Amino acid sequence: MSLEVEKEKKNDNILVSTLSMMRQAIDFANLSPDVYEHLKTPMRFVEVGIPVEMEDGSTKVFTGYRCQHNNVFGPYKGGLRYHPDVTSDSIKALSMWMTLKCSLVGVPFGGGKGAIVCDSQRLTLKERERMTRSYVRSLGSILGPEIDIPAPDIFTDAQVMAWIADEYSNNMREPSFGVVTGKPLAVGGCVGRNEATGRGCFFVAREAAQAYKIPFENSRIAIQGFGNVGSNAAKLFAAEGCPVIAVSDISGGVYKEEGLDIDKLIRHVNETGFVKGFSGGEAISNENLLSVNCDILLPAALENQITGSNAHDIKAKIVVEAANGPTTPEADQILKENNILVVPDILANSGGVTVSYFEWVQNNYGFSWDLSTVNKHLQDKMVEAFRNVYGYYCENCIGSDMRTGAYMYSIMRLAEAMHYRGWLRNGIYA
Ligand code: GLU
């Protein structure tokens, strides 16, 4: 069995489930089958070998991908991920979610995603830099501020974005920092971008609690994953008086009935690298985190975490998908039967790309907004997106789930744009 096939077997294939979800949404919305024809295949998918000179003098060639799914709304947009478990199918699915996400939240971008298959934490800083620059040399011709704009994702950060901006600008022989978002402030970054995905999840959770008639204040929060998204969301919940009672990462978790001290936990993670060993709560396993008695659960780690085998144990009333694709289709069904509201990823975590859009706009204008302007615009966008999607779901999808509603709402908008661009010769509807 090839490594690729092995990895696909390990995880539920998210490309297969995404395609089936898109097809179902298109059928429910009575849209033309041509819409599915356009969405089922990325417009471009590129795989490259990325040669890197390692510290010991050897050369290692890593596999890199960039998937440009659809650009009916504007330049392709989406993160660049460094992870050993990445497969070509997972990158295709992730790029499709970006198309749906941008459409849903109303930013004028298409969907893209890229990755390098690597264990990035084992690389030295120099190796990471060389690998990133090599990726840009291999793929730079299909990137650009009006073509395709990467951003941070799992195990990539503002520094990686700065290397991309620099390498791309060198190749173009002019500063062209709008080629990436999520940059450091010193080279055209946007205040609040780093926290934006977590902040967006917080706004959406507050809206969901209101829609579901659960008092938001004092609601108990559990968060799986304590990277950028999980930790920033935790800070906001705690500051708003919502006790964060459990948190976990790959090393394990911690639990405290009255709420964890999030600032202390962040200090501990910064010092040790992991949640494990934090003295301000009792140790729990990653698996137990999902089943703690809480009001709102945020899966903020990787794909396929809530599955047919653990979904029955979830006690939260609302699941806010801070990560991309954390819930399998089988788990979706169980959560629906148990009357648990799942706020789908393409809505819940769209705060990141929303502030990426703000950054790109500022780069285009050579102007920068202050933090309160960024956060205010983010809040407006997230609240509007939640209300639009929830309203659409309540009107059109009763008996189904909010994910189906979000897909339908998003694909309707894509279909409208395709229609006006002349891509649907037989009309929008079936
Ligand atoms: N990687 C993030 C996502 O999955 C952000 C993408 C972006 O800002 O372009 O939404």
Side-chain angles (χ1 to χ4, degrees), residues 250-420:
I250 195 162
S251 69
V254 280
Y255 174 85
K256 189 173 182 190
E257 181 63 37
E258 315 80 74
L260 296 156
D261 183 329
I262 296 301
D263 288 334
K264 274 198 187 143
L265 178 57
I266 289 174
R267 270 201 299 280
H268 169 83
V269 172
N270 287 343
E271 277 158 25
T272 66
F274 297 106
V275 164
K276 195 177 169 177
F278 179 59
S279 56
E282 71 189 74
I284 55 166
S285 69
N286 218 326
E287 198 56 34
N288 286 346
L289 177 123
L290 295 174
S291 59
V292 296
N293 195 0
C294 64
D295 298 302
I296 302 177
L297 170 67
L298 270 83
L302 279 168
E303 298 93 51
N304 295 329
Q305 298 299 304
I306 304 179
T307 64
S309 49
N310 61 23
H312 279 296
D313 303 326
I314 289 180
K315 298 184 188 67
K317 301 178 185 84
I318 297 173
V319 173
V320 175
E321 292 188 328
N324 289 311
T327 313
T328 65
E330 207 184 343
D332 255 340
Q333 190 58 31
I334 296 167
L335 297 176
K336 186 172 88 182
E337 281 160 18
N338 291 346
N339 211 16
I340 296 169
L341 179 70
V342 178
V343 184
D345 47 6
I346 58 170
L347 167 61
N349 69 37
S350 60
V353 76
T354 299
V355 176
S356 276
Y357 167 58
F358 300 159
E359 180 173 330
W360 179 78
V361 169
Q362 292 166 76
N363 291 158
N364 284 345
Y365 276 92
F367 183 78
S368 46
W369 301 353
D370 62 20
L371 184 61
S372 63
T373 307
V374 170
N375 286 345
K376 167 80 179 74
H377 283 300
L378 174 62
Q379 176 168 341
D380 291 349
K381 275 274 190 208
M382 297 307 296
V383 169
E384 189 195 355
F386 181 90
R387 291 182 185 171
N388 285 343
V389 172
Y390 191 74
Y392 182 90
Y393 154 68
C394 292
E395 237 169 74
N396 302 287
C397 316
I398 286 309
S400 182
D401 53 23
M402 198 172 168
R403 189 183 317 280
T404 309
Y407 270 59
M408 285 168 70
Y409 177 84
S410 169
I411 295 175
M412 295 277 285
R413 290 169 77 133
L414 286 159
E416 193 191 355
M418 285 181 197
H419 163 70
Y420 282 116

Side-chain angles (χ1 to χ4, degrees), residues 77-79 98 101 113 149 151-153 181 193 324 349 352-353 356:
K77 184 87 191 80
M98 287 309 301
K101 210 183 282 190
K113 201 79 169 198
I149 309 151
D153 201 90
T181 58
R193 171 62 186 86
N324 289 311
N349 69 37
V353 76
S356 276

Side-chain angles (χ1 to χ4, degrees), residues 24-246:
Q24 184 187 316
I26 287 166
D27 288 349
F28 276 7
N30 199 30
L31 291 169
S32 157
D34 291 351
V35 176
Y36 183 70
E37 232 10 69
H38 278 292
L39 294 179
K40 75 174 195 211
T41 312
M43 294 175 107
R44 184 193 261 153
F45 179 80
V46 184
E47 177 175 338
V48 286
I50 303 168
V52 180
E53 192 190 326
M54 308 299 282
E55 296 286 16
D56 63 5
S58 66
T59 296
K60 200 166 157 41
V61 180
F62 294 88
T63 301
Y65 300 117
R66 187 72 192 169
C67 187
Q68 301 179 330
H69 173 243
N70 181 283
N71 67 358
V72 72
F73 278 126
Y76 304 104
K77 184 87 191 80
L80 171 64
R81 172 176 294 202
Y82 291 171
H83 201 280
D85 290 341
V86 159
T87 61
S88 51
D89 274 5
S90 66
I91 290 305
K92 287 179 189 167
L94 284 154
S95 74
M96 290 172 183
W97 294 338
M98 287 309 301
T99 302
L100 298 172
K101 210 183 282 190
C102 293
S103 168
L104 181 150
V105 82
V107 294
F109 289 136
K113 201 79 169 198
I116 303 180
V117 186
C118 66
D119 194 349
S120 127
Q121 284 159 310
R122 293 222 175 142
L123 300 175
T124 66
L125 193 68
K126 278 228 149 55
E127 288 167 344
R128 271 166 74 80
E129 176 174 354
R130 284 189 207 122
M131 184 177 78
T132 304
R133 289 184 185 277
S134 185
Y135 182 84
V136 179
R137 283 195 296 277
S138 298
L139 285 170
S141 60
I142 62 161
L143 303 179
E146 301 299 334
I147 304 170
D148 184 355
I149 309 151
D153 201 90
I154 293 173
F155 295 136
T156 55
D157 55 14
Q159 175 61 79
V160 172
M161 298 305 119
W163 290 325
I164 296 176
D166 184 67
E167 190 66 29
Y168 182 82
S169 298
N170 292 344
N171 295 349
M172 300 305 287
R173 305 210 193 128
E174 62 181 25
S176 189
F177 301 163
V179 66
V180 272
T181 58
K183 299 178 290 288
L185 295 184
V187 283
C190 173
V191 278
R193 171 62 186 86
N194 198 37
E195 303 81 31
T197 311
R199 189 175 289 276
C201 290
F202 168 79
F203 291 140
V204 157
R206 195 165 61 186
E207 286 297 306
Q210 205 179 2
Y212 228 44
K213 307 209 173 6
I214 295 170
F216 183 65
E217 226 176 285
N218 298 324
S219 53
R220 288 156 311 144
I221 315 293
I223 304 181
Q224 184 206 41
F226 206 61
N228 173 296
V229 180
S231 62
N232 279 304
K235 266 201 265 183
L236 287 163
F237 281 110
E240 203 69 14
C242 303
V244 179
I245 60 167

